[in-house]
Coordinates of all heavy atoms in Angstrom, one line a residue:
A38 N -22.0 17.2 -2.9 CA -23.0 16.9 -1.8 C -24.4 16.5 -2.4 O -25.1 15.7 -1.8 CB -23.1 18.0 -0.8
T39 N -24.8 17.2 -3.5 CA -26.1 16.9 -4.0 C -26.3 15.5 -4.6 O -27.4 15.0 -4.7 CB -26.5 17.9 -5.1 OG1 -25.5 17.9 -6.1 CG2 -26.6 19.3 -4.5
S40 N -25.2 14.8 -4.8 CA -25.2 13.5 -5.3 C -25.4 12.5 -4.2 O -25.5 11.3 -4.4 CB -24.0 13.1 -6.1 OG -22.8 13.2 -5.3
L41 N -25.3 13.0 -2.9 CA -25.5 12.1 -1.7 C -26.6 12.6 -0.9 O -26.5 13.0 0.3 CB -24.2 12.1 -0.9 CG -22.9 11.7 -1.6 CD1 -21.7 12.1 -0.8 CD2 -22.9 10.2 -1.9
P42 N -27.9 12.6 -1.4 CA -29.0 13.2 -0.6 C -29.3 12.4 0.6 O -29.2 11.1 0.6 CB -30.1 13.1 -1.6 CG -29.8 12.0 -2.6 CD -28.3 12.0 -2.7
R43 N -29.6 13.0 1.7 CA -29.9 12.4 3.0 C -28.9 11.4 3.4 O -29.2 10.4 4.1 CB -31.3 11.8 2.9 CG -32.4 12.9 2.7 CD -33.8 12.2 2.7 NE -34.0 11.2 1.7 CZ -34.4 11.4 0.5 NH1 -34.8 12.6 0.1 NH2 -34.6 10.4 -0.3
Q44 N -27.7 11.6 3.1 CA -26.6 10.7 3.5 C -25.6 11.5 4.3 O -25.4 12.7 4.1 CB -25.9 10.0 2.4 CG -26.9 9.1 1.6 CD -26.2 8.3 0.5 OE1 -25.0 8.2 0.5 NE2 -26.9 7.9 -0.4
R45 N -24.9 10.8 5.2 CA -23.9 11.4 6.0 C -22.6 10.7 5.8 O -22.5 9.5 5.7 CB -24.3 11.3 7.5 CG -23.6 12.2 8.4 CD -24.2 12.1 9.8 NE -23.4 12.9 10.6 CZ -23.8 13.6 11.6 NH1 -25.1 13.7 11.8 NH2 -23.0 14.3 12.3
L46 N -21.5 11.5 5.7 CA -20.2 10.9 5.4 C -19.4 10.9 6.7 O -19.3 12.0 7.4 CB -19.5 11.7 4.3 CG -18.1 11.3 4.0 CD1 -18.1 9.9 3.4 CD2 -17.5 12.2 3.0
L47 N -18.8 9.8 7.1 CA -18.0 9.8 8.3 C -16.6 9.3 7.9 O -16.4 8.3 7.3 CB -18.6 8.7 9.3 CG -17.8 8.5 10.6 CD1 -17.7 9.8 11.4 CD2 -18.4 7.3 11.4
I48 N -15.6 10.2 8.2 CA -14.2 9.9 7.9 C -13.6 9.7 9.3 O -13.6 10.6 10.1 CB -13.6 11.0 7.2 CG1 -14.2 11.2 5.8 CG2 -12.1 10.7 7.0 CD1 -13.8 12.4 5.0
T49 N -12.9 8.6 9.5 CA -12.2 8.4 10.7 C -10.7 8.4 10.5 O -10.2 7.7 9.6 CB -12.6 7.0 11.3 OG1 -14.0 6.9 11.6 CG2 -11.8 6.8 12.7
I50 N -10.0 9.3 11.2 CA -8.6 9.4 11.0 C -7.9 9.0 12.3 O -8.2 9.6 13.4 CB -8.1 10.8 10.6 CG1 -8.7 11.2 9.3 CG2 -6.6 11.0 10.6 CD1 -8.5 12.6 8.9
V51 N -7.1 8.0 12.3 CA -6.4 7.5 13.5 C -5.0 7.9 13.4 O -4.3 7.6 12.5 CB -6.5 5.9 13.6 CG1 -5.8 5.5 14.8 CG2 -8.0 5.5 13.7
V52 N -4.6 8.7 14.4 CA -3.2 9.2 14.4 C -2.4 8.3 15.3 O -2.6 8.2 16.5 CB -3.1 10.7 15.0 CG1 -1.7 11.1 15.0 CG2 -3.9 11.6 14.1
I53 N -1.5 7.5 14.7 CA -0.7 6.6 15.5 C 0.6 7.3 16.0 O 1.0 7.1 17.1 CB -0.3 5.4 14.6 CG1 -1.6 4.6 14.3 CG2 0.7 4.5 15.3 CD1 -1.4 3.5 13.3
N54 N 1.1 8.2 15.1 CA 2.3 8.9 15.5 C 2.3 10.2 14.7 O 2.0 10.2 13.5 CB 3.6 8.1 15.2 CG 4.9 8.7 15.7 OD1 4.8 9.5 16.6 ND2 6.0 8.4 15.1
N55 N 2.6 11.3 15.4 CA 2.7 12.6 14.7 C 4.2 13.0 14.6 O 4.8 13.4 15.6 CB 1.9 13.6 15.4 CG 2.0 15.0 14.8 OD1 2.6 15.2 13.7 ND2 1.5 16.0 15.5
D56 N 4.8 12.9 13.4 CA 6.1 13.4 13.3 C 6.2 14.6 12.4 O 7.2 15.0 11.8 CB 7.0 12.3 12.6 CG 8.5 12.6 12.6 OD1 8.9 13.3 13.6 OD2 9.2 12.2 11.7
G57 N 5.1 15.4 12.4 CA 5.0 16.6 11.7 C 4.0 16.6 10.6 O 3.6 15.5 10.1
C58 N 3.5 17.8 10.2 CA 2.6 18.0 9.1 C 1.3 17.1 9.3 O 0.7 16.7 8.3 CB 3.3 17.6 7.8 SG 4.7 18.7 7.4
L59 N 0.8 17.0 10.5 CA -0.3 16.2 10.8 C -1.6 16.7 10.0 O -2.3 16.0 9.5 CB -0.6 16.2 12.3 CG -1.9 15.5 12.7 CD1 -1.8 14.0 12.4 CD2 -2.1 15.6 14.2
R60 N -1.7 18.0 9.9 CA -2.9 18.6 9.3 C -2.9 18.3 7.8 O -3.9 17.8 7.2 CB -2.9 20.1 9.5 CG -3.0 20.5 10.9 CD -3.0 22.0 11.1 NE -1.7 22.5 10.6 CZ -1.4 23.8 10.5 NH1 -2.3 24.7 10.8 NH2 -0.3 24.2 10.0
S61 N -1.8 18.4 7.1 CA -1.7 18.1 5.7 C -1.8 16.6 5.4 O -2.5 16.2 4.5 CB -0.5 18.7 5.0 OG 0.7 18.2 5.6
V62 N -1.2 15.8 6.3 CA -1.4 14.4 6.1 C -2.8 13.9 6.3 O -3.3 13.1 5.5 CB -0.4 13.6 7.1 CG1 -0.8 12.1 7.2 CG2 1.0 13.9 6.8
A63 N -3.5 14.5 7.3 CA -4.9 14.1 7.5 C -5.8 14.6 6.3 O -6.7 13.8 5.9 CB -5.4 14.8 8.8
L64 N -5.5 15.8 5.8 CA -6.3 16.2 4.6 C -6.1 15.3 3.4 O -7.0 14.9 2.7 CB -6.0 17.7 4.3 CG -6.6 18.7 5.3 CD1 -5.9 20.1 5.0 CD2 -8.1 18.8 5.1
N65 N -4.8 15.0 3.2 CA -4.5 14.1 2.0 C -5.1 12.7 2.2 O -5.6 12.2 1.2 CB -3.0 14.1 1.8 CG -2.4 15.4 1.3 OD1 -3.1 16.2 0.6 ND2 -1.2 15.8 1.6
A66 N -5.0 12.2 3.4 CA -5.5 10.8 3.6 C -7.0 10.8 3.4 O -7.6 9.9 2.8 CB -5.2 10.4 5.1
A67 N -7.7 11.9 4.0 CA -9.2 11.9 3.8 C -9.5 12.1 2.3 O -10.5 11.4 1.9 CB -9.7 13.1 4.6
M68 N -8.8 12.9 1.6 CA -9.1 13.1 0.2 C -8.9 11.7 -0.6 O -9.7 11.4 -1.4 CB -8.3 14.2 -0.4 CG -8.7 14.5 -1.9 SD -10.2 15.4 -1.9 CE -11.1 14.5 -3.2
L69 N -7.8 11.0 -0.3 CA -7.6 9.8 -1.0 C -8.7 8.7 -0.6 O -9.1 8.0 -1.5 CB -6.2 9.2 -0.6 CG -5.0 9.7 -1.4 CD1 -3.7 9.2 -0.8 CD2 -5.1 9.2 -2.8
A70 N -9.1 8.8 0.6 CA -10.2 7.8 1.0 C -11.5 8.2 0.2 O -12.2 7.2 -0.2 CB -10.4 7.9 2.5
I71 N -11.8 9.4 0.1 CA -13.0 9.9 -0.7 C -12.8 9.4 -2.1 O -13.8 8.9 -2.7 CB -13.1 11.4 -0.6 CG1 -13.4 11.8 0.8 CG2 -14.2 11.9 -1.6 CD1 -14.7 11.4 1.4
L72 N -11.7 9.7 -2.8 CA -11.5 9.3 -4.1 C -11.5 7.8 -4.3 O -12.1 7.3 -5.3 CB -10.1 9.8 -4.6 CG -10.0 11.4 -4.8 CD1 -8.5 11.7 -5.1 CD2 -10.9 11.9 -5.8
D73 N -10.9 7.1 -3.4 CA -10.9 5.6 -3.5 C -12.3 5.0 -3.3 O -12.6 4.0 -4.0 CB -10.0 5.0 -2.4 CG -9.8 3.5 -2.5 OD1 -9.6 3.1 -3.7 OD2 -9.8 2.8 -1.5
S74 N -13.1 5.7 -2.6 CA -14.5 5.2 -2.3 C -15.4 5.5 -3.5 O -16.5 4.9 -3.6 CB -15.1 5.8 -1.1 OG -15.3 7.1 -1.2
G75 N -15.0 6.3 -4.4 CA -15.8 6.7 -5.6 C -16.9 7.7 -5.3 O -17.8 7.9 -6.1
I76 N -16.8 8.4 -4.2 CA -17.7 9.5 -3.9 C -17.5 10.6 -4.9 O -16.3 11.0 -5.1 CB -17.6 10.0 -2.5 CG1 -18.0 8.9 -1.5 CG2 -18.4 11.3 -2.2 CD1 -17.7 9.2 0.0
P77 N -18.5 11.1 -5.6 CA -18.3 12.2 -6.5 C -17.7 13.5 -5.9 O -18.2 13.9 -4.8 CB -19.7 12.5 -7.1 CG -20.5 11.3 -6.6 CD -19.9 10.7 -5.4
C78 N -16.8 14.1 -6.6 CA -16.1 15.3 -6.1 C -16.1 16.4 -7.1 O -16.1 16.1 -8.3 CB -14.7 15.0 -5.7 SG -14.5 13.9 -4.3
L79 N -16.2 17.6 -6.7 CA -16.2 18.7 -7.6 C -14.7 19.0 -8.0 O -14.5 19.5 -9.1 CB -16.7 20.0 -6.9 CG -18.2 19.8 -6.4 CD1 -18.5 21.0 -5.5 CD2 -19.1 19.7 -7.6
S80 N -13.8 18.7 -7.2 CA -12.4 18.9 -7.5 C -11.5 18.0 -6.5 O -12.1 17.3 -5.7 CB -12.0 20.3 -7.3 OG -12.3 20.8 -6.0
T81 N -10.2 18.0 -6.7 CA -9.4 17.2 -5.8 C -8.6 18.2 -4.9 O -8.1 19.2 -5.3 CB -8.3 16.5 -6.7 OG1 -9.0 15.6 -7.6 CG2 -7.4 15.6 -5.8
L82 N -8.6 17.8 -3.6 CA -7.9 18.7 -2.6 C -6.6 18.0 -2.3 O -6.5 16.8 -2.1 CB -8.8 18.8 -1.4 CG -8.2 19.6 -0.2 CD1 -9.3 20.4 0.4 CD2 -7.6 18.7 0.8
T83 N -5.5 18.8 -2.3 CA -4.2 18.3 -1.8 C -3.6 19.4 -0.9 O -3.9 20.6 -1.0 CB -3.2 18.1 -3.0 OG1 -3.1 19.3 -3.7 CG2 -3.6 16.9 -3.9
A84 N -2.9 18.9 0.1 CA -2.4 19.8 1.1 C -0.9 19.6 1.4 O -0.4 18.5 1.3 CB -3.1 19.7 2.5
S85 N -0.2 20.7 1.7 CA 1.2 20.6 2.1 C 1.6 21.7 3.0 O 0.9 22.7 3.1 CB 2.1 20.6 0.8 OG 1.9 21.7 0.0
E86 N 2.6 21.4 3.8 CA 3.1 22.4 4.7 C 4.6 22.7 4.5 O 5.3 21.9 3.9 CB 3.0 21.9 6.2 CG 1.5 21.7 6.6 CD 1.3 21.2 8.0 OE1 1.8 21.9 8.9 OE2 0.7 20.1 8.2
A87 N 5.0 23.9 4.9 CA 6.4 24.3 4.8 C 6.7 25.2 6.0 O 5.8 25.8 6.6 CB 6.6 25.1 3.5
C88 N 8.0 25.3 6.2 CA 8.5 26.2 7.3 C 9.8 26.8 6.9 O 10.4 26.3 5.9 CB 8.5 25.5 8.6 SG 9.9 24.3 8.8
T89 N 10.3 27.7 7.7 CA 11.7 28.2 7.5 C 12.4 28.1 8.8 O 11.9 28.4 9.9 CB 11.7 29.7 7.1 OG1 10.9 30.5 8.0 CG2 11.2 29.9 5.7
I90 N 13.7 27.7 8.7 CA 14.6 27.6 9.8 C 15.9 28.3 9.3 O 16.4 27.8 8.3 CB 14.9 26.2 10.2 CG1 13.6 25.5 10.7 CG2 16.0 26.1 11.3 CD1 13.8 24.0 11.0
N91 N 16.3 29.3 10.0 CA 17.5 30.0 9.6 C 17.4 30.5 8.1 O 18.4 30.3 7.3 CB 18.8 29.2 9.8 CG 19.0 28.9 11.2 OD1 18.7 29.6 12.2 ND2 19.5 27.7 11.5
S92 N 16.3 30.9 7.7 CA 16.0 31.4 6.4 C 16.0 30.3 5.3 O 16.0 30.7 4.1 CB 17.0 32.6 6.0 OG 16.8 33.6 6.9
N93 N 16.0 29.1 5.7 CA 16.0 28.0 4.7 C 14.6 27.4 4.7 O 14.0 27.1 5.7 CB 17.0 26.8 5.1 CG 18.4 27.3 5.1 OD1 18.8 27.9 4.1 ND2 19.2 26.9 6.1
L94 N 14.0 27.3 3.5 CA 12.7 26.8 3.3 C 12.7 25.3 3.4 O 13.5 24.6 2.7 CB 12.1 27.2 2.0 CG 10.7 26.8 1.7 CD1 9.7 27.6 2.4 CD2 10.4 26.8 0.2
I95 N 11.8 24.7 4.2 CA 11.7 23.3 4.3 C 10.2 22.9 4.0 O 9.3 23.3 4.6 CB 12.0 22.8 5.7 CG1 13.5 23.2 6.1 CG2 11.8 21.3 5.9 CD1 13.8 23.0 7.5
L96 N 10.1 22.0 3.0 CA 8.8 21.5 2.6 C 8.6 20.2 3.3 O 9.5 19.4 3.4 CB 8.7 21.3 1.1 CG 7.4 20.8 0.5 CD1 6.3 21.8 0.7 CD2 7.6 20.5 -1.0
D97 N 7.4 20.0 3.9 CA 7.0 18.8 4.6 C 8.0 18.6 5.8 O 8.6 17.6 6.0 CB 7.1 17.5 3.7 CG 6.5 16.3 4.3 OD1 5.6 16.5 5.2 OD2 6.9 15.2 4.0
P98 N 8.0 19.6 6.7 CA 8.9 19.5 7.9 C 8.5 18.5 8.9 O 7.3 18.2 9.0 CB 8.8 20.9 8.4 CG 7.5 21.4 8.0 CD 7.2 20.8 6.7
T99 N 9.5 18.0 9.7 CA 9.2 17.1 10.8 C 8.6 18.0 11.9 O 8.7 19.2 11.9 CB 10.4 16.4 11.3 OG1 11.3 17.4 11.8 CG2 11.1 15.6 10.1
L100 N 8.1 17.3 13.0 CA 7.6 18.0 14.1 C 8.7 18.8 14.8 O 8.5 20.0 15.2 CB 7.0 17.0 15.1 CG 6.1 17.6 16.2 CD1 5.0 18.4 15.7 CD2 5.6 16.5 17.1
A101 N 9.9 18.3 14.9 CA 11.0 19.0 15.5 C 11.4 20.2 14.7 O 11.6 21.3 15.3 CB 12.2 18.1 15.6
E102 N 11.3 20.1 13.4 CA 11.6 21.3 12.5 C 10.5 22.3 12.7 O 10.8 23.5 12.7 CB 11.7 20.8 11.1 CG 13.0 20.0 10.8 CD 13.0 19.4 9.4 OE1 11.9 19.1 8.9 OE2 14.1 19.2 8.9
L103 N 9.3 21.9 12.8 CA 8.2 22.9 13.0 C 8.3 23.6 14.3 O 8.1 24.8 14.4 CB 6.8 22.2 13.0 CG 6.3 21.8 11.6 CD1 5.1 20.9 11.7 CD2 6.0 23.1 10.8
H104 N 8.8 22.9 15.4 CA 9.0 23.6 16.7 C 10.1 24.6 16.6 O 10.0 25.6 17.4 CB 9.2 22.5 17.8 CG 8.0 21.8 18.2 ND1 6.8 22.4 18.6 CD2 7.7 20.5 18.2 CE1 5.9 21.5 18.9 NE2 6.4 20.3 18.6

Side-chain angles (χ1 to χ4, degrees):
T39 58
S40 65
L41 303 168
R43 295 184 301 268
Q44 294 183 22
R45 196 173 174 141
L46 178 64
L47 175 65
I48 299 172
T49 302
I50 297 174
V51 178
V52 178
I53 296 171
N54 185 24
N55 178 9
D56 190 32
C58 298
L59 178 61
R60 299 174 303 169
S61 60
V62 168
L64 286 168
N65 289 329
M68 188 71 230
L69 274 172
I71 297 295
L72 292 171
D73 188 42
S74 70
I76 294 172
C78 295
L79 302 169
S80 56
T81 303
L82 180 139
T83 54
S85 56
E86 295 182 59
C88 74
T89 52
I90 300 174
N91 299 325
S92 300
N93 294 316
L94 180 78
I95 300 170
L96 183 63
D97 191 28
T99 65
L100 193 57
E102 290 169 331
L103 283 169
H104 285 304

